[in-house]
């Protein structure tokens, strides 16, 4: 049963490893508070659930769904973009349903990378950009995201021969794990770079709706030229508290969408139609729930920022996302600090190096836990760990 080389050095997914640590601690009787994975604790809104319950009773929905997704779902996505950012999309050619955006992100590499081709991958970054590249036989080239550059990649630092060989560039704003956001100037530069070197930009935007104090993140697709060079991955997961439902989409350049569809139709059989029908109601129905959600995350962000600041941390306040990205204290690595926190307090935070080598020296807190438990987590850190040096 010798495994293929492509998976021999493949580690279990970052959060599968974190889950194992949580299970071990729980087995020892620890009351674990997980600020690890970004998995909304609040329920999916009722009107979406009600629609699912209705749709699940329709036998038409029990059959294979369409490979590219129900046209009605793709139309709802197009309407969502029109309403949000005045972007006009052809739902038939420029939108595709995904089984959560993670799936599309992993599959896009199979569409464009030949053996040895390069994908430009942000670091720290969502692990699937690099892993999808490796599984396709490609080579991830790291674009460091540094605090001094606002956690934006420095495109001018990419060597000419690398740019020439690159086929894909992954970008993700609002950013996981750093919480950084990108402005139009940056996106315009990235689009010009992509045009110059014939690179496809895969922008991952699942956190675009979770923003604070009136800030409205840009969609990549609203930037002039974006539709010529790339696509945006998006998802119902974070906006509508639907991580478990597995539904997302890719939207943008029609040729890229078609290529992704060709791979996918040979590998999967689409998203259960009842879920797509419920998601349509989510996209087209009451959006006030998102403002309420952001209010809750804002309160939680305040608790974390104020709590850490009182202990001596200097932490950036993210304009968007469900994360806080903070430096580990002096004398610790990402791993040793997260281990200390778990051991002494039962609180799980994610080590920054799980998102790549440039995440070393940081840890990430996810705000997806009840406000009460979040307060408790901060109190435990204060009581059991006290002050640190930075
Ligand atoms: C995260 O916590 O980084 C994401 O929620 C993980 C994921 O989407 O798989």
């Amino acid at each position: 049963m010798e495994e293929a080389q492509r998976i021999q050095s493949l580690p279990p997914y970052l959060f599968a490893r974190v889950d194992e640590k949580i299970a071990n601690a729980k087995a020892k009787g620890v009351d674990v508070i997980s600020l690890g994975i970004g998995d909304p604790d609040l329920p999916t809104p009722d009107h979406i659930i009600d629609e699912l319950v209705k749709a699940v009773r329709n036998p038409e929905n029990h059959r294979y769904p369409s490979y590219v997704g129900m046209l009605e779902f793709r139309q709802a996505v197009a309407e969502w973009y029109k309403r949000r950012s005045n972007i006009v999309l052809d739902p038939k050619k420029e939108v595709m349903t995904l089984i959560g955006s993670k799936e599309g992100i992993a599959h896009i590499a199979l569409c464009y990378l030949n053996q040895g081709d390069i994908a430009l991958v942000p670091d720290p970054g969502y692990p699937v950009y690099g892993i999808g590249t490796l599984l396709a036989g490609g080579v991830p080239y790291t674009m460091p995201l540094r605090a001094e550059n606002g956690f934006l990649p420095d495109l001018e630092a990419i060597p000419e021969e690398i740019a020439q060989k690159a086929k894909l560039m992954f970008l993700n704003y609002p950013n996981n794990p750093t919480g950084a956001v990108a402005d139009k100037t940056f996106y315009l530069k990235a689009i010009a770079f992509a045009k110059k070197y014939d690179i496809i930009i895969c922008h991952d935007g699942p956190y675009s709706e979770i923003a604070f104090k009136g800030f409205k993140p840009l969609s990549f697709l609203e930037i002039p030229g974006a539709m010529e060079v790339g696509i945006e991955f998006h998802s119902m997961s974070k906006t509508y508290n639907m991580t478990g439902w597995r539904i997302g989409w890719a939207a943008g350049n029609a040729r890229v969408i078609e290529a992704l569809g060709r791979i996918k139709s040979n590998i999967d059989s689409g998203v259960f139609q009842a879920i797509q029908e419920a998601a349509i109601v989510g996209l087209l129905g009451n959006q006030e729930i998102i403002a309420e959600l952001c209010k809750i995350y804002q309160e939680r962000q305040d608790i974390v920022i104020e709590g850490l600041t009182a202990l001596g941390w200097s932490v950036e306040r993210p304009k968007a996302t469900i994360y806080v990205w903070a430096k580990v204290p002096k004398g610790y690595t990402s791993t040793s600090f997260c281990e200390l926190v778990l051991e002494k307090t039962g609180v799980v935070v994610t080590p920054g190096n799980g998102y790549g080598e440039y995440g070393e020296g940081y840890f990430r807190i996810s705000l997806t836990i009840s406000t009460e438990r979040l307060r408790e987590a901060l109190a435990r850190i204060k009581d059991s760990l006290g002050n640190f040096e930075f």
Side-chain angles (χ1 to χ4, degrees), residues 344-358:
K344 299 275 187 215
T345 70
V347 174
V348 173
V349 294
T350 309
N353 60 355
Y355 292 89
E357 61 174 299
Y358 290 87

Side-chain angles (χ1 to χ4, degrees), residues 13-15 36-40 101-102 126-128 176-177 206-207 237-238 243 246 322-323 350 355 364 366 368:
Y13 187 54
L14 170 62
F15 287 103
I37 193 163
D39 185 4
S101 51
K102 184 179 186 181
Y126 186 49
V128 187
N176 175 18
Y207 303 99
S237 290
K238 312 291 180 342
T243 47
R246 308 316 303 143
I322 51 180
Y323 304 119
T350 309
Y355 292 89
R364 193 194 75 175
S366 168
T368 53

Side-chain angles (χ1 to χ4, degrees), residues 244-257:
W245 297 56
R246 308 316 303 143
I247 179 159
W249 67 81
N253 185 279
R255 280 179 62 192
V256 180
I257 295 290

Side-chain angles (χ1 to χ4, degrees), residues 271-340:
V271 173
F272 182 29
Q273 285 201 167
I275 290 180
Q276 295 191 62
E277 290 201 352
I280 292 169
V281 168
L283 291 169
L284 302 183
N286 171 14
Q287 303 298 306
E288 274 159 35
I289 46 157
I290 301 172
E292 281 159 32
L293 193 61
C294 291
K295 234 162 76 192
I296 294 170
Y297 284 130
Q298 170 74 79
E299 187 191 351
R300 295 177 182 179
Q301 194 197 64
D302 288 345
I303 292 170
V304 171
I305 304 269
E306 282 158 25
L308 292 181
T309 306
L311 294 175
W313 259 274
S314 147
V315 201
E316 279 288 319
R317 185 181 282 278
K319 288 189 176 144
T321 78
I322 51 180
Y323 304 119
V324 172
W325 183 242
K327 281 200 169 135
V328 300
K330 253 197 196 136
Y332 291 93
T333 63
S334 292
T335 305
S336 69
F337 180 69
C338 295
E339 276 170 1
L340 174 87

